[in-house]
């Protein structure tokens, strides 16, 4: 059985591995010259390798962690056990760290460490936590009709609590502001982070790049299974036979790839253009367009001295939401590389690199005086204009499952019906689910 997987992001790679393990003959077509999608690796100054944008995982990412286990790279995912500072200004440091109590009590020390909020505001943070569990089970459709802001206000959250805690969380996880994000997506994040095991609530960061953990090992595994991965070869159309099934995939090179089945593992803005014009697929394409997109900008900066002592920190009341500390890489004289992330960056993507760099570094120096004392040796601006789908209210009904009206065509991608925001976990989950829907033998989890 020949299967063509369109797209070599994590969703496509996960699907291709699942199918190859089931003995299918797999061809992967990727329009970019490198695999990994938004988890791909790029070169920085002096041959430094870094991720195309910073990612943060959670211990709750069971599918992604399972993929790393199968690839033999789980040891390169590091739990962050120390508290994470939320920074409100030059002298404002407020600790957020998961405690050692059984779930859900492990969240209590974290909530009470947010000393920029009043005692009663911190106590009230538990109301949405409980509401997430109940709402997701009793009436998920009603939850998805509300914005995160409306839902948080309905659970007694003050303006200061929303601004000082919930907004950074919503923007970071949903790539949308609370007024435009679905409450169901926020509830899914809360449910996994607060009510599961303590380990699930702990952040995870890769040693090295995501390419080292997922992409490179996945490509090696596919090669060992005889899969044909074609980078820099974009799919341009799907050809149907007389029975209404996909018979082949045509590429921009003019090649035709015969297929007994196809997994379309591309973002929604590409899926709509590739789906065949049959009635059921037209509806999927319309919904894919409705989901839209939201950008992310990351500034990578190399400093002559280390100044960020924690693995990462959150910013409250800033344009950037998070800063991450890395090793020096290969830049001469550098002691620390820092990734500064601006999510929901609509007003940023059209600025020049110099303007983005200057604005972000000036802001970091205001929040971290120690950064202002360091010298910037090199920097790089990474802008992704279409980083994620925009998870606004009503998204659940618009996100398709893996099956389509065409029986041998499956969909994958973090924008499909994973129940999660656009995450690495959702990408891996969707790829494996799409492969299983085409008859791949499920692997033991």
């Amino acid at each position: 059985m020949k299967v063509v997987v369109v797209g070599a992001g994590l969703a496509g790679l996960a699907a291709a591995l699942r199918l190859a393990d089931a003995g299918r003959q797999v061809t992967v077509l990727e329009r970019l010259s490198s695999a990994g999608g938004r988890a791909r690796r790029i070169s920085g100054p002096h041959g430094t390798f870094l991720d195309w944008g910073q990612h943060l995982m959670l211990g709750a990412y069971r599918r992604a962690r399972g993929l790393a286990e199968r690839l033999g790279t789980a040891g390169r995912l590091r739990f962050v056990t120390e508290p994470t500072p939320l920074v409100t200004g030059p002298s404002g440091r407020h600790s957020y760290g998961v405690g050692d109590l059984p779930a859900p009590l492990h969240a209590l020390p974290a909530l009470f460490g947010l000393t920029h909020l009043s005692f009663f505001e911190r106590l009230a943070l538990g109301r949405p936590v409980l509401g997430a569990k109940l709402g997701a089970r009793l009436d998920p459709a009603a939850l998805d009709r509300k914005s995160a802001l409306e839902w948080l206000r309905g659970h007694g959250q003050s303006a200061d609590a929303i601004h000082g805690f919930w907004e950074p969380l919503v923007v970071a996880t949903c790539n949308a502001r609370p007024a435009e994000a679905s409450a169901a997506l926020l509830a899914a994040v809360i449910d996994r982070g607060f009510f599961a095991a303590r380990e699930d609530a702990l952040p995870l960061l890769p040693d090295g790049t995501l390419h080292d953990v997922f992409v490179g090992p996945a490509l090696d595994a596919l090669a060992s299974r005889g899969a044909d991965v074609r980078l820099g070869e974009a799919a341009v159309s799907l050809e149907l036979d007389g029975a209404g099934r996909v018979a082949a995939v045509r590429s921009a090179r003019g090649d035709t790839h015969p297929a007994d089945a196809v997994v379309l593992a591309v973002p929604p803005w590409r899926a709509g253009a590739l789906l065949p014009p049959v009635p059921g697929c037209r509806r999927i394409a319309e919904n894919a367009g409705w989901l839209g997109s939201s950008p992310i900008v990351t500034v990578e900066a190399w400093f002559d001295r280390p100044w960020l002592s924690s693995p990462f920190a959150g910013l409250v009341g800033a344009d950037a939401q998070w800063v991450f500390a890395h090793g020096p890489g290969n830049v001469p004289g550098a002691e620390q590389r820092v990734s500064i992330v601006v999510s929901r960056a609509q007003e940023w993507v059209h600025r020049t690199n110099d303007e983005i760099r200057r604005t972000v570094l000036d802001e970091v120096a205001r929040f971290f005086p120690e950064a202002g004392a360091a010298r910037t040796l090199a920097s790089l601006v990474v802008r992704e204009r279409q980083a994620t789908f925009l998870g606004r209210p009503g998204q659940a009904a618009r996100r398709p499952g893996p099956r389509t009206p065409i029986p041998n065509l499956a969909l994958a991608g973090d924008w499909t019906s994973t129940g999660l925001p656009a995450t690495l976990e959702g990408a891996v989950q969707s790829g494996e689910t799409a492969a299983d829907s085409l008859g791949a033998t499920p692997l033991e989890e």
Side-chain angles (χ1 to χ4, degrees):
M1 178 180 179
K2 296 181 179 179
V3 184
V4 176
V5 177
V6 180
L10 284 195
L13 293 175
L17 280 169
R18 195 89 156 185
L19 291 159
D21 284 340
R24 308 299 189 259
Q25 184 179 338
V26 177
T27 297
V28 181
L29 302 180
E30 169 55 52
R31 68 183 182 90
L32 299 177
S33 60
S34 58
R38 294 191 306 274
R40 66 188 181 274
R41 182 178 67 178
I42 61 172
S43 295
H46 301 278
T48 306
F49 286 115
L50 58 153
D51 289 317
W52 176 257
Q54 177 69 49
H55 293 261
L56 178 66
M57 300 174 61
L58 287 175
Y61 284 18
R62 298 293 182 180
R63 292 294 191 110
R65 292 173 63 191
L67 176 59
E69 288 279 359
R70 292 193 290 276
L71 294 172
T73 57
R76 303 199 67 161
L77 292 173
R78 174 173 53 91
F79 281 105
V80 179
T81 56
E82 58 262 53
T84 298
L86 291 184
V87 184
T88 55
S91 59
R93 301 290 188 274
H94 312 277
S95 177
Y96 183 88
V98 176
D100 293 324
L101 297 170
L105 299 179
H106 65 279
L108 291 179
L111 299 181
F112 281 97
L114 304 174
T115 52
H116 60 302
L117 303 178
S118 73
F119 173 81
F120 291 105
E121 285 172 329
R122 280 176 274 163
L123 192 63
L125 292 175
R127 294 180 62 181
V129 174
L130 294 172
K133 174 66 71 175
L134 294 174
R137 281 152 180 72
L138 296 179
D139 197 346
L143 194 62
D144 190 49
R145 288 194 291 269
K146 296 180 179 180
S147 72
L149 179 62
E150 179 186 4
W151 182 72
L152 289 168
R153 286 173 173 168
H155 282 83
Q157 300 304 286
S158 69
D160 286 342
I162 292 171
H163 172 75
F165 178 74
W166 294 111
E167 183 168 358
L169 177 64
V170 173
V171 174
T173 55
C174 300
N175 202 19
R177 307 203 187 284
E180 61 189 357
S182 164
L185 294 181
L186 174 58
V189 172
I190 295 172
D191 189 19
R192 292 201 177 198
F194 285 86
F195 277 99
R198 175 183 181 270
E199 180 181 275
D200 291 344
L202 290 174
L204 275 174
L205 289 172
D207 286 329
T209 67
L210 292 171
H211 177 95
D212 302 323
V213 178
F214 295 111
V215 182
L219 293 175
D220 292 340
L222 287 170
S224 71
R225 290 157 174 76
D228 182 13
V229 179
R230 301 193 173 203
L231 303 178
E233 184 169 355
V236 294
S237 65
L238 307 182
E239 296 186 353
L240 303 184
D241 61 18
R245 298 169 62 90
V246 180
V249 179
R250 290 189 59 81
S251 77
R253 295 179 182 176
D255 294 338
T256 299
H257 299 277
D260 298 305
V262 171
V263 176
L264 198 57
V266 296
W269 44 90
R270 290 201 66 229
L274 288 172
L275 284 167
V278 300
C281 287
R282 281 199 295 267
R283 180 63 175 167
I284 295 173
E286 290 170 0
N287 285 335
W290 181 91
L291 288 171
S293 64
S294 185
I296 296 176
V297 169
T298 305
V299 175
E300 303 284 352
W302 287 259
F303 293 90
D304 67 347
R305 69 195 74 177
W307 57 264
L308 185 57
S309 58
S310 57
F312 68 101
L315 302 181
V316 177
D319 287 321
Q321 291 85 32
W322 300 93
V323 293
F324 294 81
H326 306 277
N330 299 327
V331 174
E335 294 292 338
Q336 188 174 60
R337 174 170 67 89
V338 174
S339 302
I340 308 151
V341 182
V342 182
S343 297
R344 191 65 174 110
Q346 267 75 357
E347 64 272 26
W348 288 76
V349 290
H350 301 294
R351 299 181 183 181
T352 67
N353 284 349
D354 285 343
E355 184 181 1
I356 291 173
R357 185 183 298 110
R358 182 174 59 253
T359 302
V360 167
L361 292 178
D362 285 350
E363 182 171 72
V364 166
R366 287 198 306 273
F367 277 76
F368 298 91
E370 55 270 39
R375 185 164 60 95
T376 306
L377 300 175
S379 62
L380 177 70
V381 176
V382 178
R383 67 179 82 204
E384 181 58 77
R385 297 176 186 272
Q386 293 177 303
T388 69
F389 72 92
L390 185 58
R392 46 188 169 151
Q395 50 81 40
R398 303 274 189 157
R399 296 169 69 179
R403 301 311 303 264
T404 72
I406 298 172
N408 65 337
L409 173 64
L411 297 177
D414 60 15
W415 63 281
T416 59
S417 57
T418 66
L420 297 170
T423 59
L424 300 178
E425 174 73 356
V428 174
Q429 174 185 322
S430 72
E432 293 179 345
T433 302
D436 292 346
S437 77
L438 294 175
T441 302
L443 302 176
E444 291 188 6
E445 303 296 346

